């Protein structure tokens, strides 16, 4: 397989400087010890390509859109030097977000042919690249993928009018009482209309009522489902990825990867099929798949055996046997019952230039060069302190937890989640092997409350807390709590800002 076209000059001229991470925002955090509804748990996080928008999916089938609120000054906004100096204490070097809209993407379904319940949980969300700036987003649950268009509805607001201006001129037809008689005013049985009739006859209007009618006409954001891609997967969908051509995308389940055209919802092409003739011969399953960010013919997918396969769709229609396999030679030594379980890759991400792949398994975070298939470029230990507890982790099913990973736009920094709401951040070629550890909480190291109030609000619309200069970096002591997991992470494409989710809470950290 010829991948020489993917070789690009390395930009790693000098090691990156260590990053000092600080808390920025949180949406939807609850008090310590307070229960979280399962439908409110976040299951997917994804930044839009420009970083101006963030999509969050939850187990209740909802997709929440956040919009960047800073750095979008209008042409009429100008700051003098003195104003900028006064604003210097405000953290203007990182994006901040506000709630924009939300919509119900998926509903619970029942497959009568297989007697199987299909959850509404959002497994993945992906933004689509469009030439005209429209916002399109793909969302999927276990079986069905949907394409949504998010649009602002522009509603012209009525101009505020003084009700007494109608009687300011005797020449105004509407202001002349003599032209308004009771028989000229239609009779209605509705109470509001009867009140309007009386007001017209007396030329009296309550200004607050007028303002209330005007205030109901506001700009709104809504989402419309444009396509539904269904009935193409026998197993649960674990990945979707948009192609760089802007026209196609892939969807992957345990055994198959399908290629779709965004404009065609009733047909897909199967390009990977790992299903054996006899299911007893099954040795591995697909766990994650992603398109190359530049070359539309290349894609990569990870497996439960710890392999990453890089395929070129130009070589054959079915790409099962034409893949370059990236595997860690050091993992082929001594094996135990848990070796293959912890080696299963839960997530892979391409770097922006497409030269490297970041992968996450249960124990480690690994950086790969796509032209070096014998070993990763770097390995970062995440759960090495849990290795003596693998038996306990297996008994309570925690060993099957899947953690996502992300990397910075320059490809120099990497992040993933862990237990106890810990965010682990590493840099290639700088700092210690432990990297930086941040507790995802607006009150790090807080003591548990004896009594916790329960909020009546259940999702991310409850507002946010902001604290721009709080440093939450922890030491090298790692605790372990399987009940609090930081599984979903996303890195802003243009800034050192990480969005991470635990439970129903969405945290932002910047450096």
């Amino acid at each position: 397989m010829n991948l020489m076209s993917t070789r690009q000059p390395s930009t790693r001229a000098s090691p990156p400087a260590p990053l000092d991470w600080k808390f920025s925002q949180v949406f939807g955090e609850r008090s310590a010890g307070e229960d979280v509804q399962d439908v409110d748990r976040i299951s997917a996080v994804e930044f839009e390509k420009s970083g101006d928008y963030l999509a969050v999916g939850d187990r209740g089938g909802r997709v929440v859109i956040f919009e960047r609120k800073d750095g979008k000054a209008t042409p009429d906004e100008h700051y003098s030097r003195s104003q900028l100096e006064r604003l210097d204490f405000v953290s203007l070097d990182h994006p901040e977000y506000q709630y924009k809209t939300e919509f119900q993407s998926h509903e619970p379904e029942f497959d009568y042919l297989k007697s199987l319940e299909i959850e509404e949980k959002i497994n993945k969300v992906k933004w689509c690249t469009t030439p005209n700036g429209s916002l399109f987003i793909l969302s999927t649950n276990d079986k069905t993928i949907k394409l949504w268009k998010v649009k602002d509805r522009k509603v012209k607001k009525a101009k505020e009018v003084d009700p007494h201006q109608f009687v300011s001129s005797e020449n105004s037809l509407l202001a002349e009482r003599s032209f308004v008689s009771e028989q000229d005013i239609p009779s209605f049985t509705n109470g509001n209309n009867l009140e309007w009739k009386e007001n017209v006859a007396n030329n009296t209007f309550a200004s607050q009522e007028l303002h209330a009618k005007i205030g109901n006409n506001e700009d709104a954001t809504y989402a419309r489902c444009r396509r539904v891609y269904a009935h193409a997967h026998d197993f649960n969908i674990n990945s979707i990825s948009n192609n760089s051509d802007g026209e196609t995308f892939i969807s992957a389940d345990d055994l198959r990867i399908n290629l779709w055209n965004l404009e065609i919802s009733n047909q897909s092409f199967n390009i990977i099929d790992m299903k054996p003739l006899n299911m007893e011969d099954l040795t591995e399953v697909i766990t994650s798949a992603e398109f190359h960010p530049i070359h539309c013919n290349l894609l990569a997918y990870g497996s439960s055996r710890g392999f990453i396969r890089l395929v070129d769709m130009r070589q054959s229609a079915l790409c099962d046997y034409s893949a370059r396999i990236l595997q860690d030679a050091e993992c082929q030594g001594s094996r135990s019952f848990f070796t293959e379980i912890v080696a299963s890759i839960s997530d892979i991400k391409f770097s922006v230039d497409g030269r490297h792949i970041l992968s996450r398994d249960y124990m480690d975070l690994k950086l790969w060069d796509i032209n070096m298939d014998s070993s990763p470029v770097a390995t970062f230990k995440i759960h090495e302190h849990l290795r003596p507890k693998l038996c306990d982790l297996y008994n309570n099913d925690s060993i099957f937890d899947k953690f996502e990973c992300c990397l910075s736009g320059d490809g120099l920094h990497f992040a993933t989640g862990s237990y106890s709401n810990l965010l682990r951040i590493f840099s290639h070629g700088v700092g210690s092997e432990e990297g930086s550890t941040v507790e995802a909480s607006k009150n790090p190291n807080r003591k548990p409350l004896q009594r916790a109030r329960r909020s009546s609000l259940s999702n991310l619309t409850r507002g946010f807390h902001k604290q721009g200069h709080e440093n939450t970096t922890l030491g090298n002591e790692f605790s372990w709590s399987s009940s609090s997991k930081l599984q979903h992470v996303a890195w802003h494409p243009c800034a050192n800002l990480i969005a991470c989710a635990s439970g129903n809470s969405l945290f932002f950290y910047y450096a």
Side-chain angles (χ1 to χ4, degrees):
M1 180 177 177
N2 184 15
L3 294 176
M4 294 299 293
S5 60
T6 64
R7 289 185 180 272
Q8 298 181 12
S10 176
T11 58
R12 303 177 189 276
S14 59
L19 300 178
D20 183 22
W21 291 93
K22 297 180 176 64
F23 173 76
S24 176
Q25 291 176 274
V26 58
F27 290 85
E29 191 186 39
R30 293 179 178 269
S31 302
E34 193 172 359
D35 294 335
V36 177
Q37 298 293 328
D38 187 64
V39 294
D40 290 338
R41 293 184 179 275
I42 296 174
S43 55
V45 180
E46 182 79 10
F47 276 106
E48 186 259 343
K49 187 176 181 180
S50 68
D52 290 337
Y53 300 93
L54 176 72
V56 176
D58 64 18
R59 298 183 66 91
R62 295 163 294 193
V63 175
V64 184
I65 307 296
F66 294 90
E67 181 179 22
R68 180 172 176 171
K69 67 178 182 179
D70 61 316
K72 285 188 172 184
T74 62
D76 295 333
E77 282 185 279
H78 300 282
Y79 294 101
S80 64
R81 181 172 181 176
S82 60
Q83 288 176 318
L84 290 174
E85 290 175 351
R86 288 196 299 269
L87 291 173
D88 186 58
F89 70 95
V90 182
S91 180
L92 299 175
D93 58 344
H94 68 282
E96 293 182 357
Y97 290 84
Q98 60 187 359
Y99 170 84
K100 181 177 180 65
T101 188
E102 70 176 279
F103 56 92
Q104 188 72 34
S105 176
H106 288 73
E107 300 282 356
E109 303 175 17
F110 189 82
D111 189 338
Y112 292 95
L113 294 178
K114 298 181 179 180
S115 297
L116 181 67
E117 292 184 1
I118 303 175
E119 292 182 337
E120 66 271 31
K121 184 191 77 158
I122 304 298
N123 291 341
K124 294 290 181 180
V125 290
K126 291 290 181 181
W127 292 93
C128 299
T129 303
T130 55
N132 59 359
S134 300
L135 296 179
F136 285 90
I137 187 170
L138 286 169
S139 62
T140 182
N141 64 353
D142 288 340
K143 300 296 182 182
T144 304
I145 308 166
K146 294 183 180 182
L147 176 66
W148 294 87
K149 182 178 182 180
V150 181
K151 187 176 182 181
D152 292 329
R153 180 188 287 113
K154 300 297 182 182
V155 180
K156 293 184 178 180
K157 293 185 178 181
K159 183 179 179 181
E160 292 188 3
V161 179
D162 183 2
H164 297 289
Q165 70 177 344
F166 294 116
V167 297
S168 60
S169 174
E170 293 183 359
N171 296 327
S172 175
L173 178 64
L174 297 178
E176 291 292 334
R177 285 188 173 185
S178 59
F179 289 97
V180 181
S181 59
E182 291 189 6
Q183 59 267 25
D184 294 329
I185 304 174
S187 299
F188 301 97
T189 57
N190 182 279
N192 292 333
N193 291 328
L194 287 175
E195 183 179 359
W196 175 261
K197 166 184 170 182
E198 181 181 357
N199 289 338
V200 172
N202 298 329
N203 272 329
T204 59
F205 296 86
S207 60
Q208 61 270 23
E209 294 178 4
L210 180 61
H211 291 164
K213 298 181 188 309
I214 295 174
N216 291 332
N217 295 329
E218 296 180 351
D219 294 350
T221 303
Y222 69 98
R224 177 186 300 175
C225 185
R226 303 299 299 270
R227 299 283 189 277
V228 177
Y229 314 90
H231 312 300
H233 288 277
D234 294 330
F235 301 93
N236 293 343
I237 299 172
N238 55 51
S239 302
I240 53 176
S241 178
N242 290 298
N243 200 348
S244 59
D245 61 10
E247 299 178 357
T248 58
F249 71 94
I250 56 172
S251 59
D253 63 21
D254 290 346
L255 296 178
R256 292 187 174 95
I257 298 179
N258 294 331
L259 178 67
W260 301 82
N261 188 297
L262 284 168
E263 299 297 329
I264 303 174
S265 60
N266 60 356
Q267 184 182 22
S268 65
F269 298 92
N270 178 234
I271 57 176
I272 304 289
D273 189 351
M274 298 180 63
K275 184 177 181 180
L277 295 177
N278 186 352
M279 287 297 289
E280 294 181 356
D281 298 331
L282 183 66
T283 59
E284 62 179 330
V285 297
I286 300 170
T287 55
S288 181
E290 185 169 277
F291 261 120
H292 192 280
I294 299 175
H295 301 286
C296 60
N297 56 288
L298 298 179
L299 65 91
Y301 64 96
S303 78
S304 59
R305 295 179 62 187
F307 299 157
I308 299 176
R309 289 175 170 84
L310 189 66
V311 300
D312 189 337
M313 294 189 297
R314 297 174 299 184
Q315 294 197 350
S316 63
L318 197 60
C319 307
D320 297 348
Y321 304 103
S322 58
R324 166 179 284 182
I325 300 179
L326 310 181
Q327 56 182 320
D328 193 349
E330 295 183 0
C331 297
Q332 305 302 317
S334 59
R335 304 179 67 85
S336 67
F337 174 77
F338 303 109
T339 301
E340 190 166 311
I341 298 178
V342 299
S344 177
I345 294 176
S346 58
D347 190 24
I348 61 171
K349 292 287 193 308
F350 271 102
S351 60
V352 175
D353 60 5
R355 174 71 181 272
H356 295 87
I357 296 177
L358 186 69
S359 69
R360 171 69 202 269
D361 55 46
Y362 187 78
M363 301 298 293
D364 303 320
L365 186 68
K366 297 179 180 179
L367 180 67
W368 303 81
D369 188 319
I370 63 174
N371 296 298
M372 295 174 55
D373 52 16
S374 60
S375 63
V377 176
T379 301
F380 308 99
K381 304 295 183 181
I382 307 298
H383 288 159
E384 196 64 26
H385 60 290
L386 297 180
R387 193 171 292 275
K389 302 178 181 179
L390 291 180
C391 185
D392 296 334
L393 293 169
Y394 178 81
N395 291 332
N396 63 14
D397 289 338
S398 294
I399 200 172
F400 301 105
D401 290 335
K402 299 182 182 299
F403 295 89
E404 295 179 358
C405 61
C406 62
L407 38 68
S408 60
D410 57 12
L412 301 178
H413 309 281
F414 325 101
T416 187
S418 180
Y419 295 106
S420 301
N421 288 351
L422 296 183
L423 176 65
R424 306 292 307 280
I425 307 165
F426 303 88
S427 300
H428 188 208
V430 67
S432 63
E433 294 182 356
E434 289 80 13
S436 301
T437 303
V438 176
E439 181 188 359
S441 170
K442 67 182 181 183
N443 297 315
N445 300 323
R446 62 185 176 186
K447 296 180 180 180
L449 301 178
Q450 296 297 326
R451 298 178 62 183
R453 296 181 180 179
R454 180 165 183 168
S455 172
S456 60
L457 298 175
S458 60
N459 55 33
L460 297 175
T461 61
R462 294 187 297 113
F464 68 95
H465 169 87
K466 180 176 67 175
Q467 186 171 346
H469 296 284
E470 180 179 348
N471 190 327
T472 58
T473 303
L474 300 178
N476 294 329
E477 297 180 1
F478 303 114
S479 59
W480 175 62
S481 173
S482 60
S483 61
S484 53
K485 312 168 189 176
L486 195 71
Q487 295 180 282
H488 308 287
V489 294
W491 202 301
H492 191 282
C494 308
N496 285 326
L497 179 82
I498 298 176
C500 52
S502 175
N504 72 323
S505 302
L506 178 67
F507 299 90
F508 292 86
Y509 288 87
Y510 75 97

